[in-house]
Amino acid sequence: MIIFQNANSLFSVLMPRYFKRNWQETRGDEFDSWGTSVWFFEVDDHNFPTRQIEVYQNGKRLRYDSKNPFDDYGQLSDQALDLEEFKELEIRQDQFQLEWEKPEPRS
């Protein structure tokens, strides 16, 4: 948390948090052959995803953020993460960023 103070008030800004979740089920749609996946989330102080990565068993990588909130395969989640469910899945910012910057494998 970062705390700021100006002449009129004191306020705080929570830093984003990062999570990694293994998803052991396939998509159940026309892209089911992609296999299981690992999901990475950056969330704001209300636990809503601001960036999201999906990495599938076949190598397909999907990235979503405010500039690219959806595509033909999915979208940035519009639901807040349940931190009770995700509490053991938190990762560091650099771990998330490393995944964010990885290129899509060539076909």
Side-chain angles (χ1 to χ4, degrees):
M1 179 183 314
I2 299 175
I3 299 176
F4 296 93
Q5 184 171 3
N6 63 25
N8 299 319
S9 64
L10 178 69
F11 58 96
S12 64
V13 175
L14 294 177
M15 300 301 292
R17 294 176 71 182
Y18 301 88
F19 300 91
K20 174 184 177 181
R21 181 173 187 173
N22 292 312
W23 196 258
Q24 296 305 316
E25 298 176 18
T26 58
R27 292 174 57 106
D29 62 11
E30 66 264 38
F31 308 109
D32 200 61
S33 65
W34 292 1
T36 59
S37 55
V38 179
W39 292 49
F40 297 84
F41 298 97
E42 174 188 78
V43 301
D44 64 17
D45 56 339
H46 297 289
N47 305 321
F48 282 91
T50 54
R51 292 193 294 170
Q52 174 180 313
I53 310 160
E54 302 169 24
V55 181
Y56 289 88
Q57 196 173 15
N58 72 346
K60 181 74 173 165
R61 303 176 71 80
L62 305 176
R63 290 179 197 84
Y64 302 105
D65 62 9
S66 62
K67 295 177 185 173
N68 179 43
F70 63 91
D71 59 22
D72 292 338
Y73 309 110
Q75 68 180 32
L76 181 64
S77 177
D78 61 358
Q79 301 296 308
L81 296 190
D82 177 352
L83 291 191
E84 188 62 31
E85 181 181 337
F86 278 77
K87 68 182 174 184
E88 301 296 323
L89 306 174
E90 193 158 7
I91 61 173
R92 296 184 321 267
Q93 178 184 9
D94 64 313
Q95 292 171 294
F96 179 92
Q97 195 62 35
L98 181 68
E99 289 297 326
W100 185 260
E101 293 172 0
K102 283 184 181 178
E104 173 105 19
R106 294 183 185 167
S107 312

